[in-house]
Amino acid sequence: GLSQAELRAFAAGGSLVIEGETLGADDVMLQRTPRPGLVVASEGGLTVVLDTKPTEALRLEGLAREVVNRIQNLRKTAELDVSQRIRVTLICGGAVAASAGQFAEMIRSETLADSLEVVAPETADSTAAQAAADDQATETIDGEALTVALREAT
């Protein structure tokens, strides 16, 4: 490979000597390829590089938004009014549970949930969750099981 200084000198109108051969601008085509996970844009003397790899915090926020989507879908299936206050129980583990815990306030706010309970699958009493819920659905988010149980708030 060539150093940055050699590339800059060549791009400014110089030449390259490779294996004893002198190459000019007509002999070489420069192609810029960003590293994996980066997006690069250049115009004039300005170059911008964006790291597109999601951080763990961003991944958890995305999972929380998926949870909101699943709750809203169940609300629609249950034919509840969009302004109806609800109580939500999530039966989940792993990253989905971590996400629901970390972003509980956002989930409650966006779904108009008066309460949000996150229960681990191994400790969930399915008959109690079913009895407490008017509506329930089991989904998968990023390969992890999620059961959403909701009922109208009183």
Side-chain angles (χ1 to χ4, degrees):
L2 300 173
S3 70
Q4 289 291 327
E6 291 171 318
L7 286 172
R8 282 191 194 101
F10 177 75
S15 62
L16 295 173
V17 178
I18 299 178
E19 295 186 12
E21 294 290 325
T22 302
L23 304 173
D26 293 338
D27 302 315
V28 177
M29 181 176 77
L30 287 180
Q31 182 176 359
R32 296 174 192 234
T33 305
R35 293 181 186 143
L38 298 178
V39 175
V40 180
S42 295
E43 187 173 314
L46 180 64
T47 300
V48 176
V49 179
L50 297 176
D51 183 351
T52 60
K53 292 178 285 199
T55 63
E56 184 62 13
L58 190 57
R59 188 177 88 79
L60 289 177
E61 183 178 352
L63 289 174
R65 293 194 180 284
E66 289 294 327
V67 169
V68 168
N69 174 268
R70 298 320 195 280
I71 293 168
Q72 298 296 49
N73 287 345
L74 183 57
R75 175 196 290 277
K76 184 176 179 180
T77 301
E79 298 182 356
L80 293 175
D81 188 82
V82 294
S83 64
Q84 174 67 47
R85 308 281 313 171
I86 57 174
R87 304 186 81 175
V88 177
T89 301
L90 303 176
I91 302 172
C92 57
V96 175
S99 172
Q102 184 174 340
F103 292 95
E105 183 55 38
M106 182 268 290
I107 294 169
R108 279 193 300 273
S109 173
E110 292 195 17
T111 61
L112 297 180
D114 284 350
S115 68
L116 174 66
E117 181 181 11
V118 181
V119 180
E122 58 274 5
T123 62
D125 180 348
S126 63
T127 55
Q130 289 174 347
D134 293 335
D135 292 280
Q136 184 171 317
T138 299
E139 303 277 341
T140 302
I141 298 177
D142 261 11
E144 295 186 34
L146 166 68
T147 299
V148 177
L150 64 82
R151 63 186 163 140
E152 292 184 41
T154 54

